[in-house]
Amino acid sequence: MTKRIRRLMVANRSEIAIRVFRAAAEMDIGTVAIYAEEDRLSLHRLKSDEAYRVGAGKGPLQAYLDIDDIVATAVRVEVDAIHPGYGFLSESPEFAEACAAAGIIFIGPSPETMRQLGNKVAARNLAIAAGVSVMPATDPLPEDAAEIKRLAAQVGYPVMLKASWGGGGRGMRRVEDADKLLDEVDIAKREAGSAFGNDAVYLEKLVERARHVEVQILGDTHGNVVHLFERDCSVQRRNQKVVERAPAPYLDDATRQGLCDSAMRLCSHVGYVGAGTVEFLLDVDSGAFYFIEVNPRIQVEHTVTECVTGFDLVKAQILIAQGGRIGFPSETGIPWQDKIKLRDHALQCRITTENPENNFVPDYGIIKVYRGANGFGIRLDGGTAYSGAVITPFYDSMLEKVTAWGSTPREAVDRMDRALREFRIRGVATNLAFLENLINHPKFRAGEYTTRFIDETPDLFKFVRRRDR
């Protein structure tokens, strides 16, 4: 059933809220922001047509998790749809159900699909049923210590502890041997319980020399699924992505096709609707790849896919939610698979208010001077990147996303290098110098890196002072 969205609320904040508002404005859709009391001066509430406070009396994070108040506000101001962005409630089937019960379109997959894919163990089983290769792993770990040790030995050390629900590095612990296993399980369970409200964890075989590749997919309500190729997100620190590239510079055509086919096969199997990302680990030594998980939402790094395919993923989300059909550009802007082509190369860097010279401790305060990059081939997506912005300890430390693209990998990286050197941010510490060192490292430029690149490359932390202009 097709329903025209005329008023859209974003149940999120900062950069991703602004990104969705911009897409909606281009589609002549009215926009509604929500904000916590601590965000009353935030830029995202000024980028919308209307803004309403939610979560009165609750904390700065809990306000954005207050399903009852958010949905009640949406009903009161008569919005047609809610876009959850990423993080917060974006992977909450309960939120999607509450929207549906209130007669509001939830821009994302169905609650059933989120439940199927949100549990990583269940998602593994779906992948197996769809004929997609998976990493050797366990079911959720029992309480019995002896059985946990037996399961770990069966998988084979080293192993990775992972939260059964949720991602973002929470609950993830590398375990080298049996001596530290039980202590690490306790830590992982506490992290998972705190982050996701569910402390279930499981063990997965750890590939020592791996690359992290994810495939962007879109599915509509008519059963059509397409991919928009892959992104490399191997450059991570503490299981958090730092730099993303598209396409992955080291993939051959056969492996790329295999990854994309596997992602589509899984999403077709579950009847996936909306934007999603299917993540894989690629074994550098064998060339084999293994399914990790599905992120049933838009990703932070979606900008690089937009740059190399030319398609607006947020607009596609909205149009699919209205009932639009893939293959009919007037409805979704997304054609059939054979018309989607890779063009150019792109990478995204995340500028954060962290101090890399002090173990990346987040910094807070007022941005006294801000001068951003600009020019051909540069895209900026930010929510608090401006002079006078107050950086608080309440939220994520990401300040701005910088995306650069060019006709070759070298041109894209050179353009990013120029852009990073162009930035001037004073008043708070940032990771700009670290990013410059990283993208100029010979291994990065050659695409010769794994998921342990940052950990194994100490010279990234030998900072050259940025010239003060």
Side-chain angles (χ1 to χ4, degrees):
M1 181 180 293
T2 300
K3 179 181 178 181
R4 172 81 163 88
I5 295 173
R6 301 183 185 280
R7 285 169 59 78
L8 171 65
M9 172 185 281
V10 179
N12 216 298
R13 64 179 299 278
S14 194
E15 171 267 323
I16 187 58
I18 294 171
R19 167 71 184 93
V20 178
F21 293 148
R22 286 171 170 159
E26 292 175 16
M27 300 170 73
D28 196 28
I29 295 174
T31 56
V32 177
I34 60 171
Y35 62 93
E37 171 62 22
E38 292 80 2
D39 254 349
R40 63 191 178 278
L41 301 178
S42 181
L43 186 61
H44 80 273
R45 65 168 295 200
L46 305 177
K47 292 287 188 179
S48 62
D49 298 325
E50 303 169 27
Y52 299 91
R53 180 184 169 192
V54 295
K58 298 191 175 182
L61 294 175
Q62 289 302 314
Y64 290 104
L65 298 172
D66 190 338
I67 292 176
D68 291 341
D69 197 14
I70 292 170
V71 173
T73 301
V75 171
R76 187 176 73 250
V77 302
E78 300 181 328
V79 303
D80 301 305
I82 295 179
H83 193 302
Y86 52 72
F88 292 128
L89 295 170
S90 63
E91 298 180 53
S92 167
E94 293 78 17
F95 183 46
E97 287 172 337
C99 290
I104 296 170
I105 296 171
F106 175 81
I107 298 180
S110 69
E112 294 76 19
T113 299
M114 281 195 280
R115 285 196 172 94
Q116 285 180 305
L117 299 175
N119 182 298
K120 293 179 183 178
V121 175
R124 278 175 47 83
N125 292 332
L126 286 169
I128 292 169
V132 177
S133 60
V134 300
M135 192 75 71
T138 69
D139 289 332
L141 294 179
E143 295 296 328
D144 182 72
E147 180 63 7
I148 291 174
K149 287 186 174 181
R150 187 191 72 79
L151 290 169
Q154 184 178 30
V155 172
Y157 291 97
V159 295
M160 181 68 82
L161 269 164
K162 289 188 174 183
S164 295
W165 295 89
R170 278 89 171 176
M172 289 184 67
R173 314 287 298 184
R174 179 187 173 99
V175 184
E176 300 288 348
D177 53 55
D179 292 341
K180 299 178 181 179
L181 176 64
L182 297 180
D183 288 341
E184 295 289 4
V185 168
D186 287 341
I187 295 170
K189 287 173 73 70
R190 287 198 298 272
E191 288 181 356
S194 175
F196 312 117
N198 187 315
D199 69 354
V201 297
Y202 68 100
L203 292 170
E204 183 177 270
K205 177 66 179 174
L206 180 62
V207 176
E208 288 284 17
R209 283 170 36 84
R211 288 172 171 144
H212 193 157
V213 188
E214 57 189 25
V215 178
Q216 177 68 60
I217 64 96
L218 284 169
D220 66 21
T221 57
H222 308 280
N224 303 305
V225 177
V226 294
H227 72 78
L228 287 88
F229 297 97
E230 85 287 349
R231 298 183 290 259
D232 168 74
C233 50
S234 300
V235 181
Q236 302 181 15
R237 190 186 67 83
R238 295 177 182 170
N239 302 310
Q240 295 285 333
K241 298 167 187 175
V242 177
V243 178
E244 292 86 20
R245 303 177 77 168
Y250 45 76
L251 282 187
D252 57 57
D253 291 341
T255 305
R256 173 172 292 113
Q257 192 64 52
L259 286 162
C260 293
D261 286 348
S262 293
M264 290 188 46
R265 197 158 60 246
L266 174 57
C267 291
S268 295
H269 180 74
V270 300
Y272 194 92
V273 174
T277 302
V278 186
E279 304 202 4
F280 298 89
L281 272 186
L282 177 68
D283 188 322
V284 174
D285 297 318
S286 70
F289 58 83
Y290 305 95
F291 167 76
I292 307 175
E293 62 182 341
V294 177
N295 285 308
R297 53 175 169 79
I298 198 76
Q299 295 268 95
V300 178
E301 57 271 23
H302 74 275
T303 61
V304 293
T305 294
E306 292 181 329
C307 287
V308 299
T309 63
F311 296 114
D312 188 317
L313 291 172
V314 176
K315 283 185 180 179
Q317 285 185 291
I318 296 170
L319 289 163
I320 286 170
Q322 292 183 152
R325 184 189 296 264
I326 289 169
F328 291 79
S330 62
E331 293 189 43
T332 63
I334 302 297
W336 297 121
Q337 189 65 65
D338 61 356
K339 299 296 184 183
I340 302 174
K341 305 294 184 184
L342 279 173
R343 60 178 202 186
D344 299 334
H345 298 260
L347 70 158
Q348 180 197 97
C349 288
R350 304 181 189 189
I351 300 176
T352 63
T353 53
E354 297 173 319
N355 187 350
E357 296 183 82
N358 186 24
N359 198 30
F360 290 89
V361 171
D363 197 17
Y364 315 111
I366 299 174
I367 296 178
K368 297 177 181 178
V369 174
Y370 171 84
R371 189 183 81 200
N374 217 320
F376 182 74
I378 295 296
R379 168 178 171 176
L380 303 181
D381 292 73
T384 52
Y386 57 93
S387 296
V390 179
I391 307 302
T392 73
F394 305 126
Y395 303 109
D396 186 89
S397 61
M398 188 170 67
L399 183 67
E400 191 156 32
K401 301 187 311 193
V402 187
T403 306
W405 70 92
S407 59
T408 64
R410 176 171 180 171
E411 183 176 53
V413 175
D414 285 345
R415 192 163 281 156
M416 177 64 78
D417 180 42
R418 183 269 296 170
L420 293 175
R421 287 186 285 112
E422 203 170 310
F423 273 92
R424 289 297 173 271
I425 301 172
R426 298 194 180 94
V428 293
T430 72
N431 66 337
L432 277 166
F434 175 76
L435 291 173
E436 287 182 39
N437 287 358
L438 193 159
I439 67 164
N440 282 298
H441 195 278
K443 285 188 177 180
F444 180 83
R445 283 185 168 262
E448 297 173 353
Y449 50 82
T450 70
T451 53
R452 294 184 57 77
F453 175 55
I454 290 179
D455 294 335
E456 297 175 343
T457 315
D459 53 334
L460 293 178
F461 297 87
K462 296 178 181 177
F463 300 110
V464 176
R465 293 293 174 183
R466 306 177 81 239
R467 186 167 47 157
D468 192 8
R469 290 182 231 174

